[in-house]
């Protein structure tokens, strides 16, 4: 919305939320999320044509176009628990819009939703409309965290789905005009409602599938002596495949991939397509396998036990340049190591100790249910400490796990780190960012995902 305000000075944008502290933060110098470039955009438009407010009803009533971006968590109870999206927030937003509106409106689905949500929302709006006309559009968002502003300035495509009726087409055109302020016409795609909704789930599933494919190859590379970086380079040179999103890692994270695939799986099952559901489920299974494999590698390399050993965790966010920890592979890796009674010293330049403790004491999917935060478990508090420096984290440690590819980790003084660690000193690089040969020269035993194994690791028991 900030980018729309920046690129369309003739449009007034009001961002509304029921949370008073969140809106206060958006109106302050300390924005509630870390995203490179966002500060500058907000500063330029705030007070000009971008406003943040808790007066939800007033702004909805006055708007011509309402973007709904409420969260759609994974259901934890009832039908479809663990897979289906919970549309409670969406439904109440739609009822509120119908309730307060006094003029015709275009309602835009911005949240990722299961296919055919628009139909349900349309029913709520029209059955409660008191004669007001609503047009519903699907306009999924493809930005990635950490590069959000650049992605929005220069999107590969903008997708707008609408009803194929004269009123539907008119609404699609109206939204198209907003984006046409800065996006070239040929990149604004228009489709029917279901295609737009499904495209978002499909795009995320395809992206995640690429990572699971290369991660599956990484296991085979370790077993055979091939190097996954060389394999992905060679594979990506095929112009039909392309070079992006082929980096082997400890696993993908983030608020979208797993959730959207589970959603897709559920939709397939509901539509009587169990084979298709199984196919996509495998993308998540390989991701879980990759995280387990990493933990097993750490434990087996360190004489089959990490009990009471200090392990430094470098990076906790799900990727670099964000403080976001939702579904980060670091959670599962840390839980795995804690299960073997390791002591963890965690450093991430953007993640606070509170956040880490919360993540490690939560159950799966709790993060997307903001209402039931749990108390921290006493074990987690005792075994985990967070520090504000990589040197502090690695001091006296037996091993280092690199779980996020922060640029600053590439520039660390590994000689200094080695001198202050217990010996033998191990580095487990879950993002393939360090120069393994250089580190071996210093004396480290190094594990890099999908690379020929260190002689030390070869002698250790096979990894399950
Ligand atoms: C993703 C989609 O890219 C975006 O289009 C959609 O709108 C939201 O979901 P995001 O979750 O912000 O964006 O991050 P992304 O860059 O896609 O990375 C997801 C995860 O995959 C991260 O944990 C990242 O480290 C991992 N990843 C990515 C790999 O392990 N290897 C790769 O080659 C690329």
């Amino acid at each position: 919305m900030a980018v729309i305000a920046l690129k369309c000075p003739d449009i007034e944008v009001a961002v509304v939320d029921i949370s008073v502290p969140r809106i206060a933060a958006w109106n302050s110098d300390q924005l509630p999320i870390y995203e490179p470039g966002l500060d500058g955009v907000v500063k330029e438009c705030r007070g000009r044509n971008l406003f943040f407010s808790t007066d939800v009803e007033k702004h909805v009533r006055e708007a011509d176009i309402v973007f709904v971006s409420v969260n759609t968590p994974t259901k934890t109870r009832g039908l479809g628990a663990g897979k289906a999206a919970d549309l409670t927030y969406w439904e109440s937003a739609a009822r509120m819009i119908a309730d307060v509106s006094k003029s015709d409106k275009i309602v835009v689905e911005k949240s990722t939703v299961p296919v055919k949500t628009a139909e349900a929302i349309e029913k709520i709006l029209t059955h409660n409309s008191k004669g007001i006309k609503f047009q519903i559009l699907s306009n999924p968002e493809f930005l990635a965290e950490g590069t959000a502003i650049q992605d929005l300035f220069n999107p590969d495509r903008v997708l707008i789905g609408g009803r194929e009726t004269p009123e539907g087409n008119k609404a699609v055109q109206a939204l198209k005009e907003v984006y046409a302020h800065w996006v070239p016409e040929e990149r604004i795609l228009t489709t029917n409602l279901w295609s737009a909704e499904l495209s978002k789930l499909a795009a995320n599933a395809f992206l995640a599938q690429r990572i699971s494919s290369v991660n599956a190859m990484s296991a085979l590379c370790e077993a055979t002596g091939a190097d996954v970086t060389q394999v992905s380079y060679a594979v990506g040179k095929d112009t039909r495949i392309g070079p992006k999103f082929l980096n082997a890692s400890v696993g993908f994270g983030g608020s979208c991939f797993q959730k959207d695939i589970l959603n897709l799986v559920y939709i397939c099952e509901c539509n009587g397509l169990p084979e298709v559901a199984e196919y996509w489920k495998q993308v998540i299974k390989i991701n879980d396998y990759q995280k387990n494999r990493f933990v097993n590698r750490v434990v087996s390399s360190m004489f089959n036990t990490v009990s009471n050993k200090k392990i430094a965790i470098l990076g906790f966010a799900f990727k670099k340049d964000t403080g976001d920890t939702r579904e980060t592979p670091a959670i599962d890796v840390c839980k795995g190591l804690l299960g073997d009674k390791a002591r963890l010293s965690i450093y991430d330049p953007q993640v606070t100790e509170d956040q880490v403790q919360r993540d490690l004491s939560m159950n799966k999917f709790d993060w997307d249910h903001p209402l039931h935060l749990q108390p921290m478990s006493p074990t987690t508090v005792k075994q985990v400490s967070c520090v504000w420096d990589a040197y502090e984290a690695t001091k006296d440690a037996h091993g280092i796990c690199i779980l996020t590819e922060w640029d600053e980790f590439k520039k660390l003084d590994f000689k200094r780190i080695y001198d202050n660690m217990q010996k033998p000193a191990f580095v487990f690089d879950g993002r393939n960012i360090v120069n393994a040969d250089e580190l071996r020269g210093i004396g480290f035993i190094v594990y890099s995902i999908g690379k020929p194994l260190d002689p030390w690791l070869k002698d250790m028991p096979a990894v399950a």
Side-chain angles (χ1 to χ4, degrees):
M1 290 304 120
V3 168
I4 290 181
L6 181 80
K7 300 288 188 183
C8 314
D10 55 321
I11 296 176
E12 186 176 316
V13 180
V15 178
V16 294
D17 197 298
I18 51 170
S19 161
V20 176
R22 188 171 299 160
I23 289 297
W26 281 109
N27 278 321
S28 75
D29 287 337
Q30 193 66 46
L31 300 186
I33 56 168
Y34 171 71
E35 184 63 45
L38 178 61
D39 277 43
V41 176
V42 170
K43 271 195 194 117
E44 194 168 333
C45 312
R46 199 169 50 191
R48 181 187 80 183
N49 64 332
L50 175 64
F51 302 93
F52 296 94
S53 164
T54 48
D55 198 344
V56 180
E57 297 188 359
K58 168 179 179 282
H59 289 286
V60 168
R61 193 179 307 119
E62 290 173 355
D64 300 305
I65 305 181
V66 181
F67 289 84
V68 183
S69 317
V70 294
N71 57 334
T72 50
T74 307
K75 277 181 86 170
T76 49
R77 284 154 188 258
L79 207 62
K83 278 186 253 176
D86 178 349
L87 294 176
T88 315
Y89 302 116
W90 234 112
E91 184 177 335
S92 56
R95 288 184 188 281
M96 181 273 295
I97 296 170
D99 229 29
V100 305
S101 292
K102 294 205 160 64
S103 57
D104 295 353
K105 290 191 196 320
I106 297 172
V107 177
V108 185
E109 245 179 23
K110 221 16 168 167
S111 330
T112 306
V113 290
V115 184
K116 300 246 163 175
T117 299
E119 194 164 281
I121 302 307
E122 207 169 43
K123 283 193 183 124
I124 295 173
L125 289 171
T126 45
H127 284 281
N128 295 280
S129 71
K130 301 162 290 188
I132 291 163
K133 290 204 183 65
F134 293 102
Q135 273 304 318
I136 181 132
L137 300 179
S138 165
N139 173 217
E141 184 48 64
F142 295 101
L143 68 80
E145 288 178 39
T147 53
I149 300 295
Q150 279 319 310
D151 294 345
L152 288 164
F153 281 179
N154 189 24
D156 287 342
R157 78 309 208 180
V158 167
L159 186 54
I160 304 173
R163 282 276 179 211
E164 291 159 309
T165 57
E167 299 80 23
N169 287 335
K170 215 171 126 208
V172 168
Q173 281 311 316
L175 186 56
K176 200 173 165 181
E177 275 165 31
V178 173
Y179 287 105
H181 279 75
W182 79 98
V183 181
E185 169 115 26
E186 67 278 7
R187 289 204 200 162
I188 307 178
L189 316 182
T190 57
T191 65
N192 72 30
L193 269 178
W194 326 136
S195 301
E197 288 179 335
L198 185 57
S199 298
K200 170 71 190 198
L201 294 179
N204 276 347
F206 275 50
L207 288 168
Q209 183 211 43
R210 275 174 84 92
I211 303 168
S212 278
S213 297
V214 77
N215 281 345
M217 284 299 160
S218 76
L220 189 56
C221 287
E222 286 166 34
T224 55
D227 179 330
V228 76
T229 313
Q230 295 173 349
V231 173
S232 16
Y233 184 75
V235 169
K237 273 290 174 192
D238 186 323
T239 50
R240 293 168 302 176
I241 297 171
K244 293 184 184 161
F245 253 69
L246 287 179
N247 293 323
S249 66
V250 58
F252 60 75
S255 63
C256 295
F257 284 177
Q258 168 150 324
K259 195 173 99 175
D260 289 355
I261 293 176
L262 287 172
N263 224 306
L264 195 62
V265 166
Y266 185 66
I267 295 168
C268 293
E269 284 169 353
C270 293
N271 282 286
L273 302 169
E275 290 84 357
V276 186
E278 272 310 308
Y279 175 77
W280 288 109
K281 226 187 259 174
Q282 202 59 32
V283 172
I284 292 179
K285 285 193 190 156
I286 286 286
N287 199 45
D288 289 337
Y289 163 77
Q290 189 75 346
K291 292 180 273 190
N292 278 332
R293 213 166 70 75
F294 188 86
V295 172
N296 290 347
R297 189 63 90 180
V298 175
V299 177
S300 67
S301 312
M302 299 173 82
F303 316 101
N304 257 332
T305 176
V306 287
S307 179
N308 217 23
K309 289 178 184 161
K310 177 175 171 180
I311 311 271
I313 304 291
L314 298 188
F316 198 82
F318 82 98
K319 64 192 256 194
K320 73 171 182 178
D321 293 338
T322 177
D324 195 342
T325 61
R326 288 175 291 175
E327 293 292 332
T328 175
I331 295 179
D332 287 336
V333 170
C334 288
K335 281 186 173 172
L337 295 172
L338 288 170
D340 216 77
K341 299 207 173 60
R343 287 182 296 120
L344 304 182
S345 184
I346 303 177
Y347 166 64
D348 186 293
Q350 285 297 333
V351 182
T352 61
E353 172 146 27
D354 264 10
Q355 186 61 47
V356 168
Q357 293 285 2
R358 221 174 300 145
D359 287 335
L360 293 180
S361 49
M362 269 186 197
N363 293 321
K364 224 170 173 46
F365 299 123
D366 278 355
W367 60 268
D368 66 0
H369 291 266
L371 295 181
H372 52 93
L373 283 181
Q374 297 192 331
M376 285 179 231
S377 94
T379 355
T380 318
V381 178
K382 232 173 48 213
Q383 279 175 254
V384 176
S385 65
C386 290
V387 293
W388 280 102
D389 177 59
Y391 297 103
E392 183 63 31
T394 52
K395 193 164 173 284
D396 294 323
H398 293 257
I400 301 174
C401 296
I402 301 175
L403 301 183
T404 313
E405 71 283 19
W406 285 101
D407 289 335
E408 65 175 71
F409 297 157
K410 296 179 191 163
K411 297 180 216 132
L412 289 170
D413 178 351
F414 278 99
K415 174 77 178 80
R416 176 177 157 198
I417 288 177
Y418 180 80
D419 289 342
N420 289 319
M421 282 177 68
Q422 307 276 346
K423 310 293 173 330
F426 297 84
V427 170
F428 302 93
D429 184 0
R431 298 287 183 169
N432 286 349
I433 57 166
V434 298
N435 182 333
D437 287 337
E438 223 169 272
L439 263 57
R440 285 189 189 114
I442 296 173
F444 282 107
I445 295 158
V446 185
Y447 165 69
S448 307
I449 303 250
K451 304 267 191 176
L453 288 183
D454 202 299
W456 174 287
L457 302 171
K458 266 194 202 145
D459 296 338
M460 287 294 159
V463 183

